[in-house]
Each structure stands twice: as structure tokens, then as C-alpha cells.
Amino acid sequence: MMHVAERIQDDTLVLMISGRVTFYSRKVFQAIVGNARLSGAKHIMFNIQGVTFMDSTALGGLALAYLNLKECDLTMSLVGPQQPIKTLLDNANFPTLIPTFSSEDLAFQSIQ
């Protein structure tokens, strides 16, 4: 099961996602992205350090989130993917699409 916590830091909405991100959590994920668009934040940071499993539906959801947020002039980044999630993202070439960082500190440095 996927769990989400959020906080605002400066102009960034940080979404801390943990658990399994799969086909079954897609509606919750879509709702999170929809709410992020309305949050007033300028940057959406997905901290996925606690994600233990991600399927192809989740990859598609991340790509759609990137496109939807970009459409609203919002930027997005991923933070803290652990193995094997990092390998999955790398194999799908996601770091070339969505900036990916090992820590929130590095992500915040890049958006300032």
C-alpha cells in the first residue's frame, strides 16, 4: 500500500511517498498530482526514499505527472530512490526527463 505525507518548504511542495506504488494506487497518485497543481507551490518534489516497489503503471504516472505539472509551469523532481527503484528509473531513462537527486538538500540547492 502507498502512503503519502506532505509539507511545504519555501515555494516547494514536498510529497513523501512510501510503500508500494502500483496500478492499484494510481487513482490516489493522480489525486495527489491534481492537488499539487492547486497547492500554490512552484516546484513539486517527490521524495520516494520510502518506496519499496514501483511497477510500470507508476512509471507512467510519474511521466504524466511531469507533463501535467509542466503544463501549469510547475517544475518537478524526484528524491532518494533506493535500489532497485533507482535501477528501474535509470533503465527507463527517467533522470533525463525528471531531475533526480539522492537527497532533498541537493534537490533544494538545484532549484534555488
Side-chain angles (χ1 to χ4, degrees), residues 15 17 46-51 54 78-82 85 89:
L15 298 168
I17 300 173
F46 289 83
N47 183 327
I48 57 172
Q49 186 172 4
V51 173
M54 186 179 282
L78 298 174
V79 171
Q82 303 297 312
I85 305 301
L89 293 169

Side-chain angles (χ1 to χ4, degrees), residues 18 29 37 58:
S18 60
F29 189 82
R37 289 174 64 167

Side-chain angles (χ1 to χ4, degrees), residues 27-48:
K27 291 192 186 278
V28 172
F29 189 82
Q30 290 167 350
I32 291 165
V33 172
N35 289 339
R37 289 174 64 167
L38 304 173
S39 70
K42 294 184 171 131
H43 183 81
I44 312 301
M45 185 182 299
F46 289 83
N47 183 327
I48 57 172

Side-chain angles (χ1 to χ4, degrees), residues 26-95:
R26 74 189 182 287
K27 291 192 186 278
V28 172
F29 189 82
Q30 290 167 350
I32 291 165
V33 172
N35 289 339
R37 289 174 64 167
L38 304 173
S39 70
K42 294 184 171 131
H43 183 81
I44 312 301
M45 185 182 299
F46 289 83
N47 183 327
I48 57 172
Q49 186 172 4
V51 173
T52 57
F53 178 83
M54 186 179 282
D55 67 9
S56 60
T57 302
L59 285 178
L62 282 174
L64 286 174
Y66 171 80
L67 294 173
N68 287 335
L69 294 170
K70 186 176 179 180
E71 188 176 90
C72 297
D73 293 324
L74 299 172
T75 56
M76 172 181 161
S77 61
L78 298 174
V79 171
Q82 303 297 312
Q83 300 293 353
I85 305 301
K86 183 178 181 329
T87 301
L88 178 68
L89 293 169
D90 289 345
N91 288 343
N93 216 17
F94 263 68

